Amino acid sequence: MTFPNDSTNRQKGHSRKPWLAGITLIAVGAVGGAWVTAQTGHFPFSYSSIQASAAGNEEAPDISFKTGFAPIVKRVTPAVVTIESTQNAKKVVSRNGGRNRGGQGQGQGQMQIPDELRQFFGNGGGNLFDDNGDGNQTQPKRQGVGSGVITTADGYIITNNHVVDGADEVKVVLSDKREFTAKVIGKDPQSDVAVVKIDAANLPHVQFGNSDNVEVGDIVLAMGNPFNVGQTVTMGIVGATGRHSQRIEEYEDFIQTDAAINPGNSGGALVNLKGELIGMNTAILTNGGGGNQGVGFAIPVNMVRNVMDQIVHEGKVSRGFMGVLIQPVTPEIAKQFHQTGEPRGVMLSEVNAGGPAERAGLKQGDIVMEINGSKVRDTDDLRLRIANLKPNSSVKLTVLRDGANRDFTVQLGSQPGEKVVSENRSSSAEPDGSPRLGVSLEPVTPEIARQFNLKNQSGLVITDVQEGSAAAEAGLKQGDVIQEVNRTPVKDTSEFKRIVSNSKEPLLLYVRRDGNGTYITVKPQG
């Protein structure tokens, strides 16, 4: 299990170059200047297929083998637009006395472009910077091309955040070739949704569908401007719904499809056979090729619409907050917490003091089974459903405590800047009866607290982890503080050794790292 503040290898904002990855998740909105790729480390991607009904209540188009999907395309494509983003040239001051180390080679402040991306840059070389001979360098103007969808007759347009993020100028090109300078109304990086607006009236716009009704196997159309070749339509089916844990965005609930999408489609539309917008395409899974491999991801339209409405009407996006850290329920944890049958629900590994959850009576070790009467699938499901609720709203939680279900009503707070993310890396090995863990422990004394930068913590700090040991396999690290063993508080090494030596099953440890707590199961070795 990783702790909530552990770093995650995500393409967006990550320094790793996506073209070096064997299997890579990339967003697909930017083509041409590819400045979005240079900034975020991934291409923007999207699907674009929309219904252009201004009234929003027209009957579904007549589709047959003779007409194909032409009636849908004719109604939707007028609401699909191309978005051109420009970042102006910027002066870069040299940090090495006005010289480029290595002459024509790779100097300080330079970036080398791989061959497959070289076509997107205008200076003909592998250097992103143009030396002006004045000891400084100028980073050239960079451009990207993505897609968008008109949602209202007066010019509100949805797209991906990564299509317009960092842009100094945004231009929208309609299907009838009219061009407008757009204003960015707001952006939500956590969901990768942005809203821009153009000054126009009586525009064709989409009819919203209900992404909660999308089913695996549904036929869908994707429309956008891939590779800046012009408006394009592709067809596929829904391969999966509720896809998360892709680590593309902070909040994910993707619709997966095999409709062909490529760089430049980001922010475009995914529509059903009624011509209703059901998703906004955002990313693809690629096996190092950089293009469509049949696995694309679209943000469900219900999430897009929620974010858009908040941006337009409130000027910001607010999300519900419980004040907890969470982790999956493993078979070992389920057994320790008296859960019968298959592991279910999501465990509260920490409850913030004074937070909404604590005020409602929730405790560390509670297992959330239901939200408002609906079963909780996993940690991402819980996070997303709470985040989709408004601050100050109330939510009913059914939790498992001491083997019995109990109901609590939580009045949610506002989401702070800190992330609440947790993954489980605990060992699930069967017990072998050996008590050894392969760790060295010390009580948390003032001196130890200073050495490991611990604040107001009690328990036993891990001063060393033996390579290849049970502790190492479970993900324990030097500096971790063990506060409980099998739900019993421990404050000295003799008590810890007694519990470990008497255990014939995997141990349940409550561990704090960098101020955050989580449960980890460890199989002792002989």
Side-chain angles (χ1 to χ4, degrees), residues 24 26 28 43 45 227 261-263 284 286-293:
T24 309
I26 61 175
V28 292
F43 282 97
F45 229 110
F227 296 111
I261 53 178
N262 287 286
I284 61 169
T286 174
N287 190 19
N292 172 61
Q293 299 290 319

Side-chain angles (χ1 to χ4, degrees), residues 224-507:
N225 185 7
F227 296 111
N228 202 22
V229 299
Q231 198 168 76
T232 301
V233 181
T234 58
M235 182 199 74
I237 66 169
V238 173
T241 59
R243 284 284 195 229
H244 46 62
S245 301
Q246 305 302 318
R247 299 299 178 251
I248 305 172
E249 317 299 348
E250 180 69 19
Y251 293 99
E252 301 176 337
D253 193 29
F254 292 123
I255 298 171
Q256 179 182 319
T257 179
D258 64 349
I261 53 178
N262 287 286
N265 279 121
S266 273
L270 186 69
V271 300
N272 60 23
L273 293 186
K274 295 181 180 179
E276 298 170 333
L277 182 69
I278 60 170
M280 181 169 69
N281 300 284
T282 298
I284 61 169
L285 183 69
T286 174
N287 190 19
N292 172 61
Q293 299 290 319
V295 181
F297 299 104
I299 303 173
V301 72
N302 290 4
M303 180 186 291
V304 174
R305 192 170 189 177
N306 177 41
V307 172
M308 179 189 71
D309 288 344
Q310 292 192 62
I311 288 175
V312 173
H313 299 296
E314 302 175 21
K316 63 178 182 179
V317 179
S318 300
R319 294 183 167 91
F321 175 70
M322 279 209 306
V324 296
L325 295 180
I326 59 179
Q327 68 181 87
V329 178
T330 65
E332 291 78 18
I333 288 177
K335 183 176 181 179
Q336 289 279 352
F337 284 82
H338 311 295
Q339 187 181 91
T340 59
E342 295 182 359
R344 304 179 308 280
V346 173
M347 168 162 283
L348 304 185
S349 57
E350 183 172 344
V351 178
N352 294 354
E358 186 190 59
R359 291 196 299 268
L362 292 170
K363 296 181 180 180
Q364 167 194 317
D366 285 344
I367 299 177
V368 181
M369 307 296 291
E370 295 181 357
I371 299 179
N372 291 333
S374 177
K375 292 183 179 180
V376 176
R377 299 193 307 269
D378 50 37
T379 55
D380 287 305
D381 180 41
L382 176 60
R383 290 182 61 249
L384 185 64
R385 290 165 67 178
I386 293 297
N388 284 338
L389 297 172
K390 293 281 190 179
N392 299 319
S393 63
S394 294
V395 58
K396 179 183 176 182
L397 300 182
T398 300
V399 305
L400 179 67
R401 179 187 294 177
D402 297 328
N405 285 337
R406 299 181 58 182
D407 291 332
F408 295 87
T409 300
V410 182
Q411 184 176 8
L412 302 178
S414 298
Q415 185 73 250
E418 295 182 359
K419 300 176 182 178
V420 183
V421 183
S422 180
E423 294 178 12
N424 189 1
R425 289 171 51 198
S426 60
S427 169
S428 59
E430 293 298 323
D432 64 2
S434 174
R436 297 183 59 91
L437 300 184
V439 294
S440 298
L441 300 169
E442 294 281 352
V444 179
T445 63
E447 181 179 354
I448 290 292
R450 286 192 298 271
Q451 179 182 350
F452 290 95
N453 194 27
L454 305 177
K455 296 181 180 179
N456 302 321
Q457 294 187 20
S458 61
L460 302 174
V461 64
I462 298 177
T463 57
D464 184 60
V465 178
Q466 181 180 349
E467 184 177 355
S469 66
E473 292 178 357
L476 292 170
K477 298 180 180 180
Q478 185 184 59
D480 289 348
V481 179
I482 300 174
Q483 294 189 324
E484 294 180 6
V485 181
N486 290 344
R487 306 186 69 184
T488 300
V490 290
K491 296 182 179 180
D492 59 68
T493 55
S494 60
E495 184 179 16
F496 180 86
K497 291 178 181 178
R498 178 184 60 80
I499 297 175
V500 172
S501 62
N502 291 333
S503 176
K504 296 182 180 181
E505 296 184 346
L507 300 167

Side-chain angles (χ1 to χ4, degrees), residues 91-329:
K91 180 73 74 174
V92 180
V93 179
S94 174
R95 295 184 178 181
N96 59 354
R99 294 178 180 268
N100 287 332
R101 294 180 181 177
Q104 299 296 322
Q106 189 170 359
Q108 185 172 356
Q110 296 176 320
M111 181 185 297
Q112 295 300 311
I113 308 302
D115 291 340
E116 59 266 36
L117 298 183
R118 197 177 299 271
Q119 59 179 313
F120 295 142
F121 295 87
N123 59 354
N127 188 351
L128 279 178
F129 297 91
D130 179 22
D131 195 337
N132 295 319
D134 60 357
N136 297 323
Q137 296 171 329
T138 299
Q139 188 176 5
K141 179 182 291 189
R142 291 182 286 179
Q143 296 179 318
V145 178
S147 303
V149 183
I150 304 173
T151 62
T152 65
D154 58 349
Y156 282 95
I157 298 169
I158 54 173
T159 187
N160 282 130
N161 171 71
H162 68 257
V163 171
V164 298
D165 189 36
D168 295 301
E169 181 182 353
V170 176
K171 184 170 68 174
V172 171
V173 182
L174 305 187
S175 61
D176 61 10
K177 307 305 180 184
R178 285 185 292 168
E179 298 184 1
F180 296 85
T181 298
K183 177 183 179 181
V184 178
I185 302 300
K187 300 177 294 183
D188 180 41
Q190 291 182 303
S191 64
D192 202 9
V193 175
V195 179
V196 303
K197 190 179 187 305
I198 60 176
D199 188 10
N202 300 318
L203 293 172
H205 56 282
V206 297
Q207 178 179 338
F208 288 99
N210 184 352
S211 52
D212 289 343
N213 294 334
V214 174
E215 296 184 351
V216 175
D218 286 351
I219 296 176
V220 290
L221 301 180
M223 302 179 192
N225 185 7
F227 296 111
N228 202 22
V229 299
Q231 198 168 76
T232 301
V233 181
T234 58
M235 182 199 74
I237 66 169
V238 173
T241 59
R243 284 284 195 229
H244 46 62
S245 301
Q246 305 302 318
R247 299 299 178 251
I248 305 172
E249 317 299 348
E250 180 69 19
Y251 293 99
E252 301 176 337
D253 193 29
F254 292 123
I255 298 171
Q256 179 182 319
T257 179
D258 64 349
I261 53 178
N262 287 286
N265 279 121
S266 273
L270 186 69
V271 300
N272 60 23
L273 293 186
K274 295 181 180 179
E276 298 170 333
L277 182 69
I278 60 170
M280 181 169 69
N281 300 284
T282 298
I284 61 169
L285 183 69
T286 174
N287 190 19
N292 172 61
Q293 299 290 319
V295 181
F297 299 104
I299 303 173
V301 72
N302 290 4
M303 180 186 291
V304 174
R305 192 170 189 177
N306 177 41
V307 172
M308 179 189 71
D309 288 344
Q310 292 192 62
I311 288 175
V312 173
H313 299 296
E314 302 175 21
K316 63 178 182 179
V317 179
S318 300
R319 294 183 167 91
F321 175 70
M322 279 209 306
V324 296
L325 295 180
I326 59 179
Q327 68 181 87
V329 178

